[in-house]
Amino acid sequence: MPFTATVLTMFPEAFPGPLGVSLIGTAWRERGLWSLETVDIRAYSEDRRGFLDDTPAGGGPGQVLKADVVARALDSLQGPPRPLLYMSARGRPLTQARVKDWAKADGITVLCGRFEGVDQRVLDARGFEEVSVGDAVLAGGEAAAMVVIEACVRLIPGVLGSGESLSSESFEDGLLEHPQYTRPRTFEGLDIPEILLSGDHRKMALWRQEQREKTTQERRPDLWAAHLENRPAEPSAKSPRRARSEGSSAGPRPAKS
């Protein structure tokens, strides 16, 4: 079975969106390396009008998706257990390390909230993991779900053309990626850095590493601090040899006969 992304949403028509184009879309539609399915939460409302939300307990603005409706939608799924993810601004931040773990599974099930969110009881009862894609609030979880799914799918072997590009990109070793350039050599008076045209691969590698470190320090001091903490300690200088005892020869020892 290919990696399967299942999305529980009030708006299944929002998918596949960007997941259906370029290499990721081809890997799904033509090559069968992964699959996408959507579940319409509205279909599991037992209200004759199709309502699936209600006012917040204790008062407050907006509406909350009902626990029983979400539970019925989730319980309708077949197949092996998969990581259950709920897209939420209060969730733990999305990281490449977490994406790698999810990509190793048979797939993921993603719940997209709306309004003021989802009744906490169904999140606790079913073991959802709350995930945030950034420190901003969206109108719903669909766009965030696409971010998580794309991040996972692109790690599936064969989806992208070059495995080398995966190993050298941002976050793989705790640093951001270096800047990239291509032809033309000059654009609006700005030149490609000469080091990248030198043909000296060692110097180019050093330059790229320096750029990664500089960019990370400037833009993500949190990542830089973690990188310094996790970086292997540089070997200390060798301690000088113990001085020979007084009266011994300072010259080389004679060879044994």
Side-chain angles (χ1 to χ4, degrees):
M1 292 290 293
F3 181 95
T4 300
T6 302
V7 184
L8 280 66
T9 173
M10 293 174 57
F11 301 102
E13 64 272 19
F15 294 85
L19 299 173
V21 300
S22 192
L23 294 176
I24 289 178
T26 300
W28 168 37
R29 297 185 185 277
E30 300 180 18
R31 303 172 62 196
L33 296 180
W34 72 284
S35 65
L36 173 68
E37 60 182 11
T38 57
V39 176
D40 188 351
I41 302 175
R42 293 181 186 274
Y44 294 89
S45 171
E46 294 184 341
D47 184 281
R48 61 184 179 84
R49 297 163 295 179
F51 289 170
L52 69 168
D53 56 285
D54 209 333
T55 56
Q63 299 287 105
V64 178
L65 293 183
K66 300 176 67 174
D68 56 338
V69 179
V70 173
R72 283 192 292 270
L74 179 62
D75 295 345
S76 71
L77 302 180
Q78 305 293 322
R82 298 173 185 154
L84 301 177
L85 312 179
Y86 169 53
M87 309 315 302
S88 168
R90 71 178 189 186
R92 292 173 54 207
L94 179 69
T95 64
Q96 191 68 10
R98 299 174 74 193
V99 168
K100 285 182 176 181
D101 288 339
W102 298 331
K104 295 174 184 176
D106 294 330
I108 54 176
T109 298
V110 186
L111 171 61
C112 300
R114 279 278 158 174
F115 315 126
E116 297 304 312
V118 176
D119 189 311
Q120 186 65 39
R121 291 172 295 177
V122 71
L123 302 178
D124 294 340
R126 294 298 188 272
F128 275 94
E129 182 176 358
E130 298 190 38
V131 182
S132 169
V133 297
D135 294 340
V137 180
L138 304 177
E142 286 73 20
M146 293 179 192
V147 169
V148 172
I149 293 170
E150 180 170 322
C152 290
V153 168
R154 65 188 299 277
L155 297 182
I156 297 173
V159 170
L160 298 186
S162 173
E164 182 180 355
S165 64
L166 293 176
S167 63
S168 62
E169 61 193 9
S170 293
F171 309 118
E172 283 303 308
D173 58 358
L175 297 176
L176 300 180
E177 190 176 12
H178 55 79
Q180 300 281 7
Y181 301 88
T182 189
R183 289 173 290 192
R185 181 166 182 165
T186 300
F187 167 72
E188 295 186 353
L190 301 174
D191 293 332
I192 295 175
E194 285 296 327
I195 188 68
L196 298 179
L197 305 174
S198 67
D200 189 322
H201 294 284
R202 180 178 177 277
K203 289 183 178 179
M204 286 189 288
L206 290 174
W207 180 88
R208 286 171 170 154
Q209 181 65 18
E210 290 172 355
Q211 293 298 310
R212 298 185 70 207
E213 293 180 357
K214 177 182 177 182
T215 301
T216 305
Q217 289 182 68
E218 293 176 348
R219 301 182 184 181
R220 292 292 303 273
D222 56 326
L223 291 180
W224 179 247
H227 173 73
L228 292 179
E229 183 177 345
N230 297 326
R231 185 166 59 181
E234 297 182 0
S236 58
K238 293 183 179 180
S239 57
R241 293 182 179 179
R242 183 179 300 175
R244 299 189 179 200
S245 59
E246 189 175 358
S248 63
S249 171
R253 294 180 180 178
K256 293 183 178 180
S257 56

